[in-house]
Amino acid sequence: MVSADSVRYQIDADDWQVRQEQSTASPYTSPLFDTDRLYVTGSGGLQAIDIDTELLWTRSNDRLVTGIASTENTVYAIESNARGGQLIALDAATGDVRWTTDRIGETYTDPVVSRYVYVTNAAGQIFALDQNDGNVVWSHQTGTRDSRFTVPAVGDGVLFVSDEGPGSVRAIRESNGETLWETVIYRNESRKKQTGTLFAPILTEGYVLVSAGPAGLVGLDREDGQKRYQNASKTVVSPLAVSHETIYAATPSGLMLFEPSD
């Protein structure tokens, strides 16, 4: 399943032929596959489809579905527009609403589920919400006003956040929102000129990796935020992807890959 230009395409994995096209209710949300269910936005709202492409349930709404995350038993969907947003917890099997909260405000990004459900809104505020009832446990204000790239990476009880406002990457304790460290990413170290672009980070065993626009690919130590690696030979213009220890990134001239060295 691929979403593009408000159309959802069903593409055959063997011959790459388009088998089905359907208008979607949202231009923002990519399909999410979890275990044996596919969650997509369609003309009727949020839909759950099983592995045999049978429609299991539909959640109708009067706002755009702008983010989806899931666990084995629960689907978390963000419904948002310029008047505000709400996070809804749905039963994964039936689509029944378990709880709803409108505390998050307008947002156009996927939630992240770990100890809590983390949502970043369009004003740059990160909310930690209780999975059982949606109550706000803590919140953290960033300097970024475009939440698409402020989606945190979570590991070992810590959130790692790219914050374009100050041009930094920050580590935040999951339990209480405390800032553990913050590292400014410079495109020019000698002149201390901060990068103007930071995409959402990804985690490897010991590092936080972030694509940083003209500052290239940067690797920080997960424990203390110290810079351990930087390759600024090309401007990186996309989030990173990792597969089998190889890192992929887009540049203005094409795709770049980084492999671990001995």
Side-chain angles (χ1 to χ4, degrees), residues 78-262:
I78 293 174
E79 298 177 353
S80 194
N81 58 27
R83 295 185 299 276
Q86 60 184 7
L87 179 67
I88 302 172
L90 305 167
D91 186 288
T94 65
D96 293 337
V97 176
R98 292 180 171 173
W99 52 258
T100 301
T101 179
D102 60 0
R103 290 287 305 279
I104 61 174
E106 181 185 4
T107 181
Y108 299 98
T109 188
D110 291 322
V112 174
V113 185
S114 183
R115 176 171 181 162
Y116 302 117
V117 184
Y118 302 102
V119 178
T120 308
N121 68 15
Q125 192 169 13
I126 301 173
F127 292 92
L129 305 169
D130 191 295
Q131 293 190 34
N132 297 313
D133 53 23
N135 288 333
V136 177
V137 181
W138 54 260
S139 64
H140 179 92
Q141 183 66 55
T142 73
T144 302
R145 294 299 183 265
D146 188 340
S147 57
R148 292 173 299 163
F149 303 140
T150 318
V151 179
V154 186
D156 298 328
V158 179
L159 274 71
F160 300 91
V161 180
S162 294
D163 191 350
E164 283 192 331
S168 65
V169 177
R170 194 174 305 149
I172 304 169
R173 194 186 304 277
E174 264 200 280
S175 59
N176 57 13
E178 173 192 2
T179 298
L180 301 175
W181 53 256
E182 182 172 10
T183 301
V184 176
I185 307 299
Y186 296 106
R187 61 184 298 182
N188 187 308
E189 287 282 356
S190 61
R191 294 165 52 192
K192 296 300 180 184
K193 185 174 183 178
Q194 297 165 211
T195 183
T197 303
L198 282 174
F199 289 90
I202 61 174
L203 302 180
T204 63
E205 185 173 346
Y207 297 92
V208 184
L209 300 176
V210 61
S211 52
L217 175 67
V218 179
L220 306 176
D221 191 291
R222 285 173 60 161
E223 293 296 324
D224 57 17
Q226 293 296 309
K227 188 173 72 175
R228 303 301 184 192
Y229 173 83
Q230 183 170 7
N231 185 321
S233 59
K234 289 185 178 293
T235 297
V236 181
V237 294
S238 76
L240 302 174
V242 176
S243 177
H244 302 294
E245 296 186 346
T246 299
I247 303 163
Y248 299 89
T251 74
S253 58
L255 188 66
M256 177 185 289
L257 65 86
F258 302 86
E259 293 182 324
S261 63
D262 297 331

